[in-house]
Amino acid sequence: MATQLLIYGQVEAVNKQRHVDWSIKAGNNYSFAKQVNSVPLMAVEFPSAADDYSIVFAGADDEILPVVVMGVREDENLYVAEDGSWDANYVPAFIRRYPFVFASTDDGSTLTLCLDENYEGCNQEGRGERLFDADGEQTQYLTKVVDFLQDYQSHYQRTQTFCKKLNELDVFEDMGAKFTLPSGEERTLTGFKVISREKLKAIPQEELAALMANDGLELIYLHLHSMRNLNKVLQNMPQQATVADDTDTAEADVQH
């Protein structure tokens, strides 16, 4: 997975001097995300995302985060259709917050609301929702944007805590999913981590009880169940490719 700012172009801090006459015309065109094959997913999103995506993990040490797999090749998002629509019932919050994003200091103590000025919905003709009113005060729309990003940031921190605990329990292992392109070429999707069922079974009872008490166990099971969705990703490929499958079990799609 590339940097979290991959879908952003010209990012500038939102302020009344620069953006006093700016409006945002939102739409259902997600072409801005057509070249990203995975994006971060917050833990709170697992129940909504597990039916549409494979939820895996990316990163190392204290930087591990859940992500959803959206393509099997780099620079490819198979959930963005030719007309720019999103081909799934649930759109991850990482995508929905665009074109806005928080920029933070190195220690994360200060957050600054930023906007991708390259977004096609940005305009100074009054189309859509204004960022500031005639008095230079932020509009209700911009207030809702800030509230959404603050909520996202809170869930981001909770998700980090969840992943750090999983890392401490040493339940991760590297994932490799084999698939076949329409040309017949075989490839393996790597660079992600999954939770090992065997390592999960070996967790001490007290740690398992703690995971159950804070809903962590439910999240783990949603992750494991979601791995069945790798074939859903491939169904969006031209001339449908298929995941290599030797049996009828979900485990056959993923090699460790």
Side-chain angles (χ1 to χ4, degrees):
M1 183 179 64
T3 63
Q4 289 195 26
L5 289 178
L6 182 62
I7 62 175
Y8 293 83
Q10 183 177 339
V11 178
E12 298 287 346
V14 175
N15 64 80
K16 66 179 66 178
Q17 287 75 31
R18 185 180 182 92
H19 301 108
V20 64
D21 295 325
W22 284 52
S23 297
I24 304 295
K25 177 62 175 176
N28 293 318
N29 190 326
Y30 295 93
S31 295
F32 60 84
K34 66 182 179 181
Q35 292 185 317
V36 56
N37 73 346
S38 63
V39 296
L41 189 77
M42 301 301 99
V44 70
E45 299 181 86
F46 278 34
S48 299
D51 286 338
D52 292 319
Y53 309 91
S54 285
I55 303 170
V56 295
F57 298 83
D61 301 324
D62 289 341
E63 300 300 322
I64 295 176
L65 278 178
V67 300
V68 288
V69 177
M70 301 186 302
V72 294
R73 295 176 290 200
E74 290 186 14
D75 302 328
E76 175 186 65
N77 185 344
L78 295 170
Y79 284 87
V80 177
E82 287 294 326
D83 61 359
S85 61
W86 196 269
D87 192 14
N89 292 322
Y90 183 74
V91 181
F94 182 92
I95 299 294
R96 286 185 281 121
R97 68 177 183 170
Y98 185 83
F100 297 96
V101 66
F102 271 147
S104 65
T105 57
D106 290 340
D107 61 3
S109 60
T110 302
L111 298 174
T112 302
L113 179 65
C114 295
L115 167 70
D116 182 0
E117 295 184 344
N118 286 348
Y119 175 52
E120 64 176 14
C122 293
N123 69 91
Q124 293 174 271
E125 292 78 45
R127 291 181 285 109
E129 301 285 351
R130 287 182 61 95
L131 300 180
F132 298 94
D133 61 24
D135 297 323
E137 300 299 324
Q138 70 179 35
T139 60
Q140 185 177 7
Y141 166 75
L142 188 55
T143 298
K144 289 182 178 179
V145 167
V146 173
D147 289 344
F148 179 80
L149 265 68
Q150 288 177 335
D151 188 54
Y152 182 93
Q153 193 67 21
S154 296
H155 285 297
Y156 178 83
Q157 293 169 350
R158 293 169 189 166
T159 303
Q160 277 187 314
T161 300
F162 168 63
C163 291
K164 286 179 180 178
K165 184 60 180 179
L166 294 180
N167 200 32
E168 290 172 6
L169 294 173
D170 191 29
V171 295
F172 290 122
E173 61 183 357
D174 292 334
M175 176 194 107
K178 288 186 178 180
F179 60 94
T180 304
L181 294 178
S183 63
E185 177 188 357
E186 289 192 354
R187 291 193 180 184
T188 302
L189 181 65
T190 59
F192 298 111
K193 301 178 186 298
V194 294
I195 293 175
S196 163
R197 285 177 168 83
E198 293 305 313
K199 290 184 177 182
L200 183 62
K201 293 175 184 177
I203 292 177
Q205 286 296 320
E206 61 273 16
E207 295 285 6
L208 204 59
L211 282 173
M212 183 177 294
N214 63 21
D215 298 327
L217 199 57
E218 178 185 359
L219 297 177
I220 290 172
Y221 286 137
L222 285 169
H223 150 66
L224 293 173
H225 176 75
S226 77
M227 296 308 297
R228 298 174 180 268
N229 292 328
L230 277 177
N231 270 317
K232 284 188 178 181
V233 180
L234 298 173
Q235 286 169 6
N236 291 335
M237 292 190 74
Q239 303 175 42
Q240 181 183 342
T242 58
V243 171
D245 192 354
D246 297 327
T247 73
D248 292 330
T249 65
E251 291 85 355
D253 292 342
V254 181
Q255 289 78 41
H256 308 302

